[in-house]
Amino acid sequence: MNTKNLLITGMFAGLFLSCKEVEPPAPVLPVPTPEQIKWQKMENYAFVHFGLNTFNDLEWGYGNTPAETFNPTDLDCEQWVRIIKAAGLKGVILTAKHHDGFCLWPTKTVDYNISNSPYKNGKGDMVRELSDACKKHGLKFGLYLSPWDRHNAEYGREGYQKTYHEQINELISNYGPLFEFWFDGANGGNGWYGGTNETRSIDPKTYYGYETAREMIKAKHPEAMIFGGTVPDIRWIGNESGWAGETNWSPYSLDKETHYTQNQWGMKDGNQWLPGECDVSIRPGWFYHEAEDSKVKSLKHLSDIYFRSVGYNSVLLLNIPPNRKGLISEADVNRLKEFAAYRQQIFADRVKKGRNYWNATSGSEAVYSLKPKSEINVVMLQEDITKGQRVEAFTVEALTDNGWKEVGKGTTIGYKRMLRFPAVKAGRLRVKIDECRLTAHINQVAAYYAPPLQATVQGEDWNNLPRTGWKQ
Ligand code: FUL
């Protein structure tokens, strides 16, 4: 070995030694895009199911209901928007076409649309009316366009994809800006299909050309979150009752074969940021049915939904179906007012809010001062999700007259976690991060009091909702 070789060997040895002293590189966690963060901050928004089903007392029209039956007499999209806004909801998603195939805008793609209905003598355009009302009142606007079309004769065959994409093209070119585009997961099965009355099945992974559809939408509406399909930005939470798992990771791996119930928890080691959306209707059905006027969810039920969706690191998509007049019914209006007032009452008290940025490692704790003897039963925690999601377990304690008392424990935090517990009077809070990956970035800790509520709707099964496991 000559001197030159020795030198090189020595250099490598030195390099090796110094490498051993350096920390291993931090694993790269999936992080949200700026658009996903903007969307998550909306926290809650409305769904509006309206169409032929409304006028025919149906949930899933077969595709043969006459277009002439669509006839709202007092339609007022501004009423919807005013009510939705006053309820604290930040946007609205309209069913531009449900499974029955009837289009609420004057599409050139099919005759089965609003221009062949008596509404405004065939001159109406519901997508325009709602899109304009949203703009006027400062709400965001989104669209639901059912891929499954039980009217179309070409459904299940080659020609339908072109029609479906052209419908998307009309919607993204003429309305908006859109904050979300919803591809429903219900697919195939029996239908009218141009009078053939048969069962047709498709492969949803390939049939609709979702990849192209996504590119089309994103090119015109870069902020639009895609729900459903094969290349989504957000994920269905796995139930239509409005709740996420108590443990709820925003990361998810779409290439992993799982049961859909996994959606409620997300995946700790998921390879992409795919946060959950909880969809639920204020009534039993998605569409309006007079028989359900007395079944509008109670304030207790709605508030439980809120704490188990927004409060479990998800967003809430609350459906409010207008009636046959084309208005949101009184029962729903009153409940939404109560819901808004209740939340204002809880979250208006800013005095209890502690705000500071805390870089926490596993086992570390922070103490927050409250007003002396504050009565509290809710603690809200938030992670700075620009760094990904990191907290795996935490404990909250309160300093009462009898010393420190553990009030609750949780697993994930994510964008927002609200922990509910029996009320205590406390002057301080202690938050402990029991387990986290790398360093957790906590950017908000706050405590509130949510007045206890009574169940008011007879027979409502809100307390029988399946509970998710503590850990997945
Ligand atoms: C489901 C549909 O089948 C329902 O009718 C409703 O639109 C709901 C939001 O999604 O998949």
Side-chain angles (χ1 to χ4, degrees), residues 431-466:
V431 177
K432 190 166 160 208
I433 301 301
D434 299 311
E435 238 179 292
C436 68
R437 294 189 285 177
L438 309 169
T439 310
H441 303 275
I442 308 296
N443 61 4
Q444 175 105 261
V445 172
Y448 303 99
Y449 179 71
L453 294 167
Q454 295 298 317
T456 48
V457 174
Q458 276 274 310
E460 196 175 57
D461 64 350
W462 69 271
N463 50 356
N464 291 325
L465 289 175

Side-chain angles (χ1 to χ4, degrees), residues 374-388:
S374 293
E375 187 165 28
I376 56 165
N377 59 5
V378 175
V379 165
M380 182 185 81
L381 302 122
Q382 292 191 275
E383 268 183 84
D384 172 5
I385 55 169
T386 61
K387 310 280 193 306

Side-chain angles (χ1 to χ4, degrees), residues 47 49 53 59-60 95 98-99 144 146 148 182-187 227 236 240 279-280 286-287 317 319:
F47 220 169
H49 276 66
N53 289 342
E59 275 294 309
W60 273 18
T95 51
H98 202 251
H99 309 327
Y144 166 119
S146 171
W148 183 25
W182 232 81
F183 295 127
D184 196 290
N187 267 295
F227 175 97
W236 180 49
E240 293 183 338
D279 60 326
V280 62
W286 290 102
F287 286 89
L317 171 54
N319 182 62

Side-chain angles (χ1 to χ4, degrees), residues 298-316:
S298 67
L299 177 60
K300 188 174 176 64
H301 192 168
L302 280 184
S303 102
D304 199 45
I305 283 173
Y306 177 75
F307 280 110
R308 296 177 65 193
S309 55
V310 177
Y312 284 178
N313 186 35
S314 185
V315 301
L316 171 61

Side-chain angles (χ1 to χ4, degrees), residues 175-319:
Y175 311 96
L178 302 173
F179 81 94
E180 186 163 331
F181 208 100
W182 232 81
F183 295 127
D184 196 290
N187 267 295
N190 64 347
W192 185 71
Y193 305 131
T196 57
N197 299 309
E198 52 190 20
T199 298
R200 296 183 184 177
S201 56
I202 50 94
D203 175 3
K205 286 216 165 84
T206 52
Y207 183 63
Y208 300 112
Y210 281 126
E211 295 77 8
T212 311
R214 179 189 168 90
E215 278 171 29
M216 288 164 58
I217 297 166
K218 290 282 183 182
K220 293 210 157 103
H221 303 270
E223 290 198 347
M225 292 289 103
I226 309 289
F227 175 97
T230 51
V231 274
D233 295 299
I234 55 179
R235 68 174 202 269
W236 180 49
I237 210 66
N239 63 70
E240 293 183 338
S241 309
W243 51 265
E246 210 167 306
T247 296
N248 183 12
W249 294 97
S250 290
Y252 202 87
S253 297
L254 286 169
D255 50 9
K256 240 188 191 168
E257 283 290 323
T258 50
H259 189 255
Y260 69 85
T261 47
Q262 181 69 40
N263 286 23
Q264 66 194 274
W265 298 299
M267 295 177 187
K268 180 180 157 187
D269 296 313
N271 57 18
Q272 86 179 85
W273 190 267
L274 200 70
E277 179 189 78
C278 295
D279 60 326
V280 62
S281 185
I282 195 166
R283 290 161 169 254
W286 290 102
F287 286 89
Y288 174 84
H289 308 284
E290 200 180 340
E292 294 180 352
D293 278 349
S294 58
K295 296 192 175 141
V296 175
K297 288 183 172 58
S298 67
L299 177 60
K300 188 174 176 64
H301 192 168
L302 280 184
S303 102
D304 199 45
I305 283 173
Y306 177 75
F307 280 110
R308 296 177 65 193
S309 55
V310 177
Y312 284 178
N313 186 35
S314 185
V315 301
L316 171 61
L317 171 54
L318 179 63
N319 182 62

